[in-house]
Amino acid sequence: MKIDADTFLGAIQALGDLLEEAGAEPQHLVVAGGSALLAQGLISRTTRDVDILAIVDPKDELQDPRPLSESLKLAAAQVAAELQLDPDWLNTGPADQVSAGLPEGFFSRLTKKEFGPVLTIYLPARFDLIHLKLFAVVDQGQGRHSHDLKILAPTDEELLAASRWVLTQDASEVFPGLVHNTLKALGYGHLVARL
């Protein structure tokens, strides 16, 4: 079953309820990708999963979420069965980004949403989602990421900031050319000279 905005909210609320019933430790999860866009009403398309980018530790620092806690895995499996979601609907696909580096000020721009006393979800700001989506387009090519980026309708300055950050994500000699070509393909070729 594909996840739309209502399904996302229902699944996360069910997850919070199950964690509370199980007496689980509090979970503080940073959600990225299409589900973060859906949760904030920025897109209307469906997505297959909920990407956990990071956890927020007691010191308000972002940490790699892997491995997910056993209580979270068990609750996620139960939600998957009840709502007929993909067994891997809650995953840590983008977790490498924490060690690779996030846009400066990322944490300060997160929006916090509580789903009961045990589950807190943090959603990246539109500005940061533009950064992450541009990197996804450069890394994975045209498709849903470029579609999402167009819907986010970044200004030249936002896309310039995102491009400068994306350039820090790969030290290979060919990477700047990939970023430049991506900007051109997206209709922002005029920004290349400003990078």
Side-chain angles (χ1 to χ4, degrees), residues 32-183:
S35 53
L37 293 165
L38 277 171
Q40 298 179 80
L42 296 172
I43 62 168
S44 57
R45 73 167 173 84
T46 59
T47 187
R48 186 189 67 80
D49 57 9
V50 174
D51 296 317
I52 305 302
L53 173 68
I55 59 169
V56 179
D57 71 14
K59 296 178 183 176
D60 280 345
E61 293 177 358
L62 299 177
Q63 302 291 333
D64 190 318
R66 299 170 294 193
L68 293 175
S69 70
E70 284 305 312
S71 58
L72 189 57
K73 285 193 244 180
L74 287 170
Q78 194 169 337
V79 171
E82 289 175 4
L83 300 182
Q84 298 179 337
L85 300 176
D86 186 299
D88 195 31
W89 73 275
L90 188 73
N91 64 74
T92 56
D96 286 341
Q97 195 60 58
V98 176
S99 57
L102 291 161
E104 188 174 341
F106 180 89
F107 183 82
S108 67
R109 292 185 292 269
L110 290 171
T111 298
K112 179 179 174 181
K113 294 182 180 280
E114 294 180 352
F115 292 84
V118 180
L119 180 61
T120 303
I121 298 294
Y122 296 81
L123 300 167
R126 177 183 160 278
F127 180 76
D128 297 301
L129 289 167
I130 289 168
H131 285 60
L132 296 171
K133 281 294 174 182
L134 178 61
F135 184 36
V137 176
V138 173
D139 189 49
Q140 300 171 29
Q142 300 281 336
R144 71 183 186 282
H145 298 304
S146 57
H147 177 73
D148 291 345
L149 192 57
K150 286 177 185 173
I151 289 174
L152 287 168
T155 65
D156 282 2
E157 293 308 312
E158 287 171 333
L159 205 57
L160 195 58
S163 299
R164 289 174 176 155
W165 172 77
V166 169
L167 284 168
T168 69
Q169 299 300 297
D170 189 323
S172 68
E173 290 182 16
V174 300
F175 194 67
L178 292 174
V179 175
H180 297 170
N181 290 338
T182 298
L183 287 173

